[in-house]
Amino acid sequence: MRARVCFRFGPRPMFASALLLAAALAGCGERRAPAGTDGADPERGRRLLAQFQCGSCHVIPGVEAARGTAGPPLATFGRQSYVAGTLPNDPPALARWLIDPPAVKPGTAMPALGVSPDDARHMAAYLSTLR
């Protein structure tokens, strides 16, 4: 004797779909500074990444003309565990890297661009939002 399995189609599948859509859309829109950025402004950081021409070497979502291929793409930078394979990926460590990459990792191809500590804090806030 075979057991029959019945599926009831009704409002539940539609409700579940609506919840999934709402959750997906919740990640869209304004980028918020992650914990540890001490009031840094991700939007200002995005503009600074363009100003310092980081897109000459990196692909950076949201940064105009950031289509470089010499450095790694930064689309999911906020999910990475390490910065340049050496520092834990948290905003203070990332800011230190942005200020003077060769001091953090001698021999790196990434140059020191004269980024101030304040600018680095904002840039780190933006990069940390990239998931």
Side-chain angles (χ1 to χ4, degrees), residues 25-72:
L25 291 175
C28 298
E30 181 182 337
R31 296 185 188 273
R32 296 183 186 167
T37 55
D38 298 327
D41 180 0
E43 176 57 26
R44 182 173 172 194
R46 184 189 65 76
R47 290 190 309 267
L48 287 164
L49 289 163
Q51 178 184 321
F52 282 97
Q53 300 180 5
C54 300
S56 297
C57 294
H58 299 279
V59 172
I60 310 169
V63 176
E64 190 175 336
R67 294 185 287 267
T69 58

Side-chain angles (χ1 to χ4, degrees), residues 5-129:
V5 178
C6 295
F7 295 97
R8 181 176 162 238
F9 295 100
R12 286 190 181 147
M14 186 177 288
F15 179 71
S17 296
L19 283 177
L20 288 173
L21 178 61
L25 291 175
C28 298
E30 181 182 337
R31 296 185 188 273
R32 296 183 186 167
T37 55
D38 298 327
D41 180 0
E43 176 57 26
R44 182 173 172 194
R46 184 189 65 76
R47 290 190 309 267
L48 287 164
L49 289 163
Q51 178 184 321
F52 282 97
Q53 300 180 5
C54 300
S56 297
C57 294
H58 299 279
V59 172
I60 310 169
V63 176
E64 190 175 336
R67 294 185 287 267
T69 58
L74 304 179
T76 59
F77 189 84
R79 286 192 278 161
Q80 291 180 201
S81 298
Y82 293 95
V83 176
T86 58
L87 297 173
N89 189 5
D90 60 48
L94 176 54
R96 198 171 80 202
W97 168 257
L98 292 168
I99 293 165
D100 193 358
V104 174
K105 186 175 181 179
T108 184
M110 187 160 156
L113 297 173
V115 176
S116 73
D118 189 52
D119 287 348
R121 192 170 57 86
H122 297 294
M123 293 163 76
Y126 181 78
L127 291 171
S128 296
T129 69

